[in-house]
Amino acid sequence: QVQLVESGGGTVQAGGSLRLSCAASGRTSSTTAMGWFRQAPGKEREFVAACSWSGGTIYYADSVKGRFTISRDNAKNTVYLQMNSLNAEDTAVYYCAARYGSMRLRERENYPYWGQGTQVTVSS
């Protein structure tokens, strides 16, 4: 089992930036991929970004491509999501997720481990 704890959320004005962190513990390994998903009130949880253990495979949702950057520090068992040029559509609870393997990283159904979520609010 993998335990995940997100941090770094908050309120920011449109055009601003935030960096989310997700600390992983438990049975992490070289096969552990990490992903970020978000869910706004009344909406389905959607894919944001994902990264394989080595960082060799990275995916972004079209809505955040060019604005968000996912990275990880395996020595610290931590994955980051740098969010720039934030707008109101980015307002959501952001969840960190983990799974074993490196295939189909965009599908939330493939992630068995989830953090508690951190709120990101973009004011406009």
Side-chain angles (χ1 to χ4, degrees):
Q1 184 175 341
V2 178
Q3 294 79 45
L4 305 171
V5 179
E6 303 97 334
S7 62
T11 301
V12 64
Q13 292 185 338
S17 299
L18 284 173
R19 188 180 73 161
L20 306 183
S21 299
C22 175
S25 62
R27 297 185 181 275
T28 58
S29 72
S30 60
T31 66
T32 303
M34 305 288 287
W36 288 98
F37 295 78
R38 66 187 183 185
Q39 186 169 22
K43 296 184 178 180
E44 188 72 32
R45 189 173 301 185
E46 65 177 1
F47 168 78
V48 176
C51 181
S52 63
W53 173 264
S54 66
T57 302
I58 296 176
Y59 297 105
Y60 295 102
D62 290 341
S63 60
V64 307
K65 193 173 299 183
R67 300 188 297 121
F68 291 11
T69 302
I70 187 171
S71 62
R72 62 192 302 168
D73 185 342
N74 290 339
K76 298 180 179 179
N77 285 321
T78 300
V79 64
Y80 306 95
L81 185 68
Q82 178 66 47
M83 305 184 294
N84 299 324
S85 301
L86 288 163
N87 57 60
E89 298 300 315
D90 298 315
T91 295
V93 176
Y94 283 71
Y95 296 90
C96 178
R99 53 160 290 187
Y100 301 120
S102 58
M103 300 294 291
R104 299 183 176 182
L105 299 181
R106 301 177 182 181
E107 293 84 0
R108 67 181 185 275
E109 294 81 7
N110 295 331
Y111 289 82
Y113 308 113
W114 295 84
Q116 83 287 354
T118 185
Q119 177 70 48
V120 172
T121 302
V122 183
S123 62
S124 61

Short mmCIF file of all heavy atoms in Angstrom, two decimals, residues 7-41:
data_model
loop_
_atom_site.label_atom_id
_atom_site.label_comp_id
_atom_site.label_asym_id
_atom_site.label_seq_id
_atom_site.Cartn_x
_atom_site.Cartn_y
_atom_site.Cartn_z
N SER A 7 0.01 18.81 -0.32
CA SER A 7 0.15 20.09 0.34
C SER A 7 0.42 21.16 -0.71
O SER A 7 0.74 20.85 -1.85
CB SER A 7 1.26 20.07 1.39
OG SER A 7 2.52 19.81 0.79
N GLY A 8 0.30 22.41 -0.31
CA GLY A 8 0.61 23.52 -1.19
C GLY A 8 -0.58 24.23 -1.79
O GLY A 8 -0.41 25.23 -2.49
N GLY A 9 -1.77 23.73 -1.53
CA GLY A 9 -2.95 24.39 -2.06
C GLY A 9 -3.22 25.70 -1.36
O GLY A 9 -2.62 26.02 -0.33
N GLY A 10 -4.12 26.47 -1.92
CA GLY A 10 -4.47 27.76 -1.35
C GLY A 10 -5.25 28.58 -2.34
O GLY A 10 -5.77 28.07 -3.33
N THR A 11 -5.33 29.87 -2.06
CA THR A 11 -6.05 30.81 -2.91
C THR A 11 -5.07 31.73 -3.60
O THR A 11 -4.15 32.26 -2.97
CB THR A 11 -7.05 31.63 -2.08
OG1 THR A 11 -7.99 30.77 -1.44
CG2 THR A 11 -7.81 32.61 -2.98
N VAL A 12 -5.26 31.91 -4.89
CA VAL A 12 -4.37 32.75 -5.68
C VAL A 12 -5.19 33.52 -6.70
O VAL A 12 -6.24 33.04 -7.15
CB VAL A 12 -3.28 31.90 -6.36
CG1 VAL A 12 -3.91 30.94 -7.37
CG2 VAL A 12 -2.24 32.77 -7.03
N GLN A 13 -4.74 34.70 -7.06
CA GLN A 13 -5.42 35.48 -8.09
C GLN A 13 -5.14 34.91 -9.47
O GLN A 13 -4.13 34.25 -9.70
CB GLN A 13 -4.99 36.94 -8.04
CG GLN A 13 -5.45 37.68 -6.80
CD GLN A 13 -5.10 39.16 -6.84
OE1 GLN A 13 -4.19 39.57 -7.56
NE2 GLN A 13 -5.82 39.95 -6.07
N ALA A 14 -6.05 35.15 -10.37
CA ALA A 14 -5.87 34.71 -11.74
C ALA A 14 -4.55 35.22 -12.29
O ALA A 14 -4.18 36.38 -12.10
CB ALA A 14 -7.02 35.18 -12.61
N GLY A 15 -3.84 34.34 -12.98
CA GLY A 15 -2.53 34.67 -13.51
C GLY A 15 -1.39 34.29 -12.59
O GLY A 15 -0.22 34.33 -13.01
N GLY A 16 -1.70 33.93 -11.36
CA GLY A 16 -0.69 33.57 -10.40
C GLY A 16 -0.25 32.13 -10.50
O GLY A 16 -0.66 31.39 -11.40
N SER A 17 0.58 31.72 -9.54
CA SER A 17 1.17 30.39 -9.56
C SER A 17 1.08 29.73 -8.19
O SER A 17 1.03 30.40 -7.16
CB SER A 17 2.64 30.46 -9.97
OG SER A 17 2.80 31.00 -11.27
N LEU A 18 1.07 28.42 -8.21
CA LEU A 18 1.14 27.61 -7.01
C LEU A 18 1.94 26.36 -7.33
O LEU A 18 1.96 25.91 -8.48
CB LEU A 18 -0.25 27.19 -6.51
CG LEU A 18 -1.10 28.22 -5.78
CD1 LEU A 18 -2.49 27.64 -5.53
CD2 LEU A 18 -0.46 28.62 -4.47
N ARG A 19 2.57 25.79 -6.32
CA ARG A 19 3.24 24.52 -6.47
C ARG A 19 2.69 23.54 -5.45
O ARG A 19 2.78 23.77 -4.24
CB ARG A 19 4.75 24.64 -6.30
CG ARG A 19 5.47 23.32 -6.66
CD ARG A 19 6.96 23.39 -6.51
NE ARG A 19 7.38 23.39 -5.11
CZ ARG A 19 8.60 23.08 -4.69
NH1 ARG A 19 9.54 22.76 -5.57
NH2 ARG A 19 8.89 23.13 -3.40
N LEU A 20 2.13 22.47 -5.93
CA LEU A 20 1.61 21.42 -5.08
C LEU A 20 2.68 20.35 -4.87
O LEU A 20 3.47 20.07 -5.76
CB LEU A 20 0.37 20.78 -5.69
CG LEU A 20 -0.78 21.72 -6.08
CD1 LEU A 20 -1.95 20.91 -6.61
CD2 LEU A 20 -1.20 22.57 -4.89
N SER A 21 2.66 19.77 -3.69
CA SER A 21 3.56 18.68 -3.37
C SER A 21 2.77 17.48 -2.90
O SER A 21 1.70 17.62 -2.30
CB SER A 21 4.55 19.09 -2.27
OG SER A 21 5.35 20.17 -2.67
N CYS A 22 3.29 16.31 -3.17
CA CYS A 22 2.67 15.08 -2.73
C CYS A 22 3.76 14.16 -2.20
O CYS A 22 4.62 13.71 -2.96
CB CYS A 22 1.91 14.41 -3.87
SG CYS A 22 1.21 12.80 -3.45
N ALA A 23 3.72 13.90 -0.92
CA ALA A 23 4.69 13.03 -0.28
C ALA A 23 4.14 11.62 -0.20
O ALA A 23 3.04 11.40 0.31
CB ALA A 23 5.04 13.54 1.11
N ALA A 24 4.90 10.68 -0.71
CA ALA A 24 4.48 9.28 -0.73
C ALA A 24 5.26 8.48 0.30
O ALA A 24 6.44 8.72 0.55
CB ALA A 24 4.69 8.69 -2.12
N SER A 25 4.59 7.52 0.88
CA SER A 25 5.23 6.61 1.81
C SER A 25 4.60 5.23 1.66
O SER A 25 3.59 5.08 0.98
CB SER A 25 5.09 7.11 3.26
OG SER A 25 3.73 7.20 3.65
N GLY A 26 5.20 4.26 2.30
CA GLY A 26 4.69 2.91 2.19
C GLY A 26 5.48 2.11 1.16
O GLY A 26 6.69 2.26 1.05
N ARG A 27 4.77 1.31 0.41
CA ARG A 27 5.41 0.39 -0.52
C ARG A 27 5.65 1.00 -1.89
O ARG A 27 5.17 0.49 -2.91
CB ARG A 27 4.57 -0.88 -0.63
CG ARG A 27 4.44 -1.64 0.68
CD ARG A 27 3.70 -2.95 0.50
NE ARG A 27 3.57 -3.66 1.76
CZ ARG A 27 4.49 -4.46 2.27
NH1 ARG A 27 5.63 -4.66 1.62
NH2 ARG A 27 4.29 -5.07 3.42
N THR A 28 6.39 2.09 -1.90
CA THR A 28 6.78 2.68 -3.18
C THR A 28 7.94 1.88 -3.76
O THR A 28 8.72 1.25 -3.04
CB THR A 28 7.20 4.14 -3.02
OG1 THR A 28 8.28 4.23 -2.08
CG2 THR A 28 6.04 4.98 -2.50
N SER A 29 8.06 1.91 -5.06
CA SER A 29 9.10 1.16 -5.74
C SER A 29 9.42 1.83 -7.07
O SER A 29 8.83 2.84 -7.43
CB SER A 29 8.68 -0.29 -5.96
OG SER A 29 7.69 -0.39 -6.96
N SER A 30 10.33 1.21 -7.80
CA SER A 30 10.71 1.74 -9.11
C SER A 30 9.60 1.58 -10.15
O SER A 30 9.75 2.06 -11.26
CB SER A 30 11.98 1.05 -9.60
OG SER A 30 11.80 -0.34 -9.71
N THR A 31 8.53 0.92 -9.78
CA THR A 31 7.39 0.77 -10.69
C THR A 31 6.25 1.72 -10.37
O THR A 31 5.21 1.67 -11.02
CB THR A 31 6.85 -0.66 -10.65
OG1 THR A 31 6.29 -0.93 -9.36
CG2 THR A 31 7.97 -1.67 -10.93
N THR A 32 6.44 2.60 -9.38
CA THR A 32 5.37 3.47 -8.93
C THR A 32 5.28 4.71 -9.79
O THR A 32 6.20 5.52 -9.82
CB THR A 32 5.57 3.87 -7.46
OG1 THR A 32 5.66 2.69 -6.65
CG2 THR A 32 4.39 4.70 -6.98
N ALA A 33 4.17 4.86 -10.47
CA ALA A 33 3.88 6.06 -11.22
C ALA A 33 2.99 6.98 -10.39
O ALA A 33 2.23 6.52 -9.53
CB ALA A 33 3.19 5.73 -12.54
N MET A 34 3.06 8.28 -10.65
CA MET A 34 2.31 9.25 -9.89
C MET A 34 1.49 10.11 -10.84
O MET A 34 1.93 10.42 -11.94
CB MET A 34 3.24 10.14 -9.07
CG MET A 34 4.19 9.38 -8.16
SD MET A 34 3.35 8.65 -6.74
CE MET A 34 3.02 10.12 -5.77
N GLY A 35 0.33 10.50 -10.37
CA GLY A 35 -0.54 11.34 -11.18
C GLY A 35 -1.23 12.40 -10.35
O GLY A 35 -1.33 12.30 -9.12
N TRP A 36 -1.68 13.44 -11.03
CA TRP A 36 -2.48 14.49 -10.42
C TRP A 36 -3.84 14.53 -11.11
O TRP A 36 -3.92 14.51 -12.34
CB TRP A 36 -1.82 15.86 -10.53
CG TRP A 36 -0.64 16.05 -9.64
CD1 TRP A 36 0.67 15.91 -9.97
CD2 TRP A 36 -0.67 16.43 -8.26
NE1 TRP A 36 1.47 16.19 -8.89
CE2 TRP A 36 0.68 16.51 -7.83
CE3 TRP A 36 -1.69 16.73 -7.35
CZ2 TRP A 36 1.02 16.86 -6.51
CZ3 TRP A 36 -1.34 17.07 -6.06
CH2 TRP A 36 -0.01 17.14 -5.66
N PHE A 37 -4.88 14.58 -10.31
CA PHE A 37 -6.24 14.72 -10.79
C PHE A 37 -6.90 15.86 -10.03
O PHE A 37 -6.44 16.25 -8.97
CB PHE A 37 -7.03 13.42 -10.59
CG PHE A 37 -6.52 12.26 -11.39
CD1 PHE A 37 -5.38 11.56 -11.00
CD2 PHE A 37 -7.16 11.86 -12.55
CE1 PHE A 37 -4.90 10.50 -11.73
CE2 PHE A 37 -6.70 10.79 -13.29
CZ PHE A 37 -5.56 10.11 -12.89
N ARG A 38 -7.99 16.37 -10.57
CA ARG A 38 -8.70 17.44 -9.89
C ARG A 38 -10.20 17.26 -10.04
O ARG A 38 -10.66 16.66 -11.01
CB ARG A 38 -8.27 18.81 -10.40
CG ARG A 38 -8.64 19.09 -11.86
CD ARG A 38 -8.02 20.40 -12.32
NE ARG A 38 -8.41 20.73 -13.68
CZ ARG A 38 -7.93 21.77 -14.36
NH1 ARG A 38 -7.05 22.60 -13.78
NH2 ARG A 38 -8.34 22.01 -15.60
N GLN A 39 -10.92 17.81 -9.09
CA GLN A 39 -12.37 17.70 -9.10
C GLN A 39 -12.99 18.99 -8.58
O GLN A 39 -12.75 19.39 -7.45
CB GLN A 39 -12.82 16.51 -8.24
CG GLN A 39 -14.30 16.24 -8.32
CD GLN A 39 -14.67 14.91 -7.68
OE1 GLN A 39 -13.93 14.39 -6.84
NE2 GLN A 39 -15.79 14.36 -8.08
N ALA A 40 -13.78 19.61 -9.43
CA ALA A 40 -14.53 20.79 -9.06
C ALA A 40 -15.91 20.36 -8.57
O ALA A 40 -16.39 19.28 -8.92
CB ALA A 40 -14.66 21.74 -10.24
N PRO A 41 -16.57 21.19 -7.76
CA PRO A 41 -17.90 20.83 -7.26
C PRO A 41 -18.87 20.50 -8.39
O PRO A 41 -18.99 21.26 -9.35
CB PRO A 41 -18.34 22.08 -6.50
CG PRO A 41 -17.06 22.72 -6.07
CD PRO A 41 -16.11 22.48 -7.20
#
